[in-house]
Amino acid sequence: MNYYTSLMARSKFEELKAPLLFAVTALLPMFLLTSCGTLAGRSNTGVVVTRSAQIRSSTAVVAADLLEVIRGDVVDILDSVDIPDPSDNSKRERWYRVRARDEEKIEGWIEARNIMPDKVLENARKLAEEDKGIQPQATGQLHAGSNLRLTPDRSSNENIMMRLDSGSGFEIIGWKRVPKLKGSETSESDTAPKAGSAAAGPNKGAPSDEENPEDQETTELWYKVRLSPAISPAPEGWIFGKQVELTVPSDIIYYRTGREFVAWRRLDDDSTDESSAAKTKDVAKESRPGSWVILEKSSSKEPHKLDEPDFDRIYVLGYEKHDQDHYTAYRSPDIEGYLPLRVEGRGSNKTFTLRIKDEGGQIKDMQYSLFRDDHGVMRVTPPGEVKGKRKR
């Protein structure tokens, strides 16, 4: 009886074997595509952000170079994988399997830090669209290579868009102080984690409070910047403040009187609504003499606060073309002021608007009017005062 039952079961299995094997064989490619090609069905693309990079045959160190791509090239992103960083096994770096758009449609692997996915670029464009009405508040450049991020946050690498080279210039459209990440580095060095890698933990090599007084700060400064297409495909993003050097125009830099210049706008330029983000010239060196509204801030040895004012004094610098000399047209008393600065109007009929905290502690938009007196000298009428006599 046992032998007969066994024989019948074996016969039944043989009958089911062929269709079962066929079903498994048919489903296996679908399973592999689902598990290994999660990006393939999304029609993702990316743009090359480095000056040049290689598409390689694999992610191995000894892989062959298949094709060189340059900044601005578009590739199709087919897949991604995270592998241990050869320089530090505790970290992982992301690679993309891509298809180039050359005649041969070469496919291979490239490090994620060299590519900005289309979804990241779309988020950067949305950020720029939200801020399109904000005039540049200042200009700056990097004194060391740094990451351009979607948000002012260094606790994760997922918000890194690309790596900007030292010397990269940009317009500053705002800034923000955020809580300092405990144990974080005071700068984003060239060895900062690559885009797409796992979140980094506290920096074990960071100096203690006794070694570095800056570590007593509880906040860190971030700049929101607008970039030229020649520098970045992402039109806007955030940069860690320690890496930024303000490029104060040479026309006004010598008029600092113990306070730092934090923002500035020309007053004798009728193109006040035009952005110069597409210009690559050195604004600090090439600015011609003219009239300016400047926002100043006093230096302090006390730690910075999250909600501290952006500036504490307004300085308007006039320019006399005949004598080719500057003069003080207006200097405000100490105030608590906040960005953005907005200059409007044409010719001598201009105003500039700022957010100022009033005596009741309310932050309100305050408009200052410009006019010229009977001698052609620029004057400023603060909010609430009667405008002086204009020159006819």
Side-chain angles (χ1 to χ4, degrees):
M1 182 66 70
N2 290 340
Y3 171 79
Y4 177 77
T5 303
S6 175
L7 186 62
M8 291 293 291
R10 182 176 179 180
S11 176
K12 191 68 174 177
F13 174 76
E14 292 295 334
E15 292 178 8
L16 296 174
K17 180 179 179 181
L20 184 62
L21 183 61
F22 175 79
V24 170
T25 304
L27 290 173
L28 184 59
M30 296 177 60
F31 172 77
L32 291 176
L33 285 174
T34 303
S35 60
C36 299
T38 55
L39 294 172
R42 300 180 185 177
S43 300
N44 278 359
T45 61
V47 60
V48 179
V49 295
T50 51
R51 293 180 181 177
S52 65
Q54 292 290 337
I55 295 179
R56 315 191 73 195
S57 59
S58 73
T59 62
V61 176
V62 295
D65 293 337
L66 302 179
L67 179 69
E68 182 180 57
V69 288
I70 60 175
R71 180 178 291 161
D73 285 351
V74 176
V75 296
D76 297 312
I77 302 176
L78 308 175
D79 203 352
S80 67
V81 64
D82 293 335
I83 65 172
D85 189 331
S87 61
D88 187 349
N89 289 330
S90 66
K91 299 179 181 178
R92 302 183 69 82
E93 60 181 18
R94 182 165 297 169
W95 286 70
Y96 290 137
R97 185 166 68 86
V98 299
R99 180 192 300 119
R101 296 193 173 182
D102 61 334
E103 292 183 359
E104 300 178 7
K105 305 293 184 183
I106 289 178
E107 293 186 15
W109 292 88
I110 190 170
E111 289 181 272
R113 61 175 174 166
N114 296 320
I115 301 293
M116 184 181 297
D118 54 353
K119 291 186 177 180
V120 174
L121 182 57
E122 182 182 351
N123 288 334
R125 287 172 175 165
K126 287 181 180 179
L127 191 65
E129 180 66 21
E130 293 171 358
D131 296 328
K132 67 179 181 179
I134 299 179
Q135 297 174 348
Q137 307 294 293
T139 54
Q141 66 180 16
L142 289 176
H143 58 69
S146 187
N147 293 318
L148 177 68
R149 297 177 181 260
L150 270 172
T151 55
D153 178 15
R154 293 192 294 153
S155 63
S156 170
N157 303 323
E158 296 303 318
N159 64 351
I160 297 176
M161 291 188 282
M162 64 175 291
R163 187 82 180 167
L164 293 175
D165 296 332
S166 176
S168 298
F170 38 78
E171 293 177 339
I172 297 172
I173 59 174
W175 54 80
K176 181 179 182 180
R177 284 200 168 272
V178 301
K180 184 178 179 181
L181 184 65
K182 188 174 182 181
S184 62
E185 298 181 32
T186 58
S187 65
E188 291 204 336
S189 65
D190 289 333
T191 57
K194 300 172 184 176
S197 60
N203 177 31
K204 296 179 181 179
S208 64
D209 290 351
E210 291 75 14
E211 295 172 341
N212 188 354
E214 288 187 357
D215 280 354
Q216 297 177 13
E217 287 279 2
T218 59
T219 67
E220 57 186 30
L221 179 65
W222 287 77
Y223 288 103
K224 184 185 275 191
V225 302
R226 186 177 287 151
L227 301 121
S228 161
I231 295 176
S232 165
E236 187 173 314
W238 290 88
I239 298 177
F240 184 49
K242 289 291 184 181
Q243 305 297 81
V244 175
E245 175 186 359
L246 297 183
T247 52
V248 180
S250 57
D251 183 35
I252 62 176
I253 194 171
Y254 299 106
Y255 293 93
R256 288 185 294 193
T257 56
R259 304 192 192 198
E260 294 298 318
F261 289 178
V262 296
W264 52 86
R265 289 284 297 171
R266 291 192 69 98
L267 293 173
D268 49 9
D269 189 347
D270 286 337
S271 57
T272 54
D273 290 324
E274 295 180 5
S275 171
S276 60
K279 301 177 182 178
T280 56
K281 67 180 183 179
D282 189 334
V283 178
K285 293 181 180 178
E286 297 190 17
S287 63
R288 65 187 185 280
S291 301
W292 299 79
V293 54
I294 304 164
L295 305 181
E296 301 178 306
K297 189 169 185 179
S298 304
S299 299
S300 174
K301 295 182 180 180
E302 296 296 321
H304 293 280
K305 300 178 181 179
L306 291 177
D307 57 350
E308 67 181 22
D310 295 320
F311 60 94
D312 52 31
R313 192 165 69 180
I314 304 169
Y315 181 22
V316 177
L317 197 62
Y319 181 69
E320 176 53 59
K321 293 183 179 180
H322 183 267
D323 296 331
Q324 296 186 355
D325 195 16
H326 289 93
Y327 58 89
T328 299
Y330 175 75
R331 182 176 277 129
S332 75
D334 287 351
I335 56 177
E336 293 184 41
Y338 301 85
L339 298 181
L341 163 65
R342 178 79 182 178
V343 177
E344 297 174 296
R346 303 183 69 85
S348 59
N349 297 313
K350 285 190 174 179
T351 63
F352 61 88
T353 306
L354 291 159
R355 299 168 62 229
I356 309 293
K357 183 177 289 187
D358 62 17
E359 295 180 355
Q362 299 296 314
I363 299 176
K364 298 181 179 178
D365 287 344
M366 301 288 189
Q367 188 177 82
Y368 296 73
S369 301
L370 304 175
F371 70 97
R372 293 188 178 275
D373 64 16
D374 292 337
H375 302 285
V377 178
M378 177 183 286
R379 303 295 184 189
V380 176
T381 303
E385 293 187 14
V386 178
K387 185 176 296 187
K389 185 178 180 180
R390 292 179 177 272
K391 181 181 178 181
R392 296 182 180 277

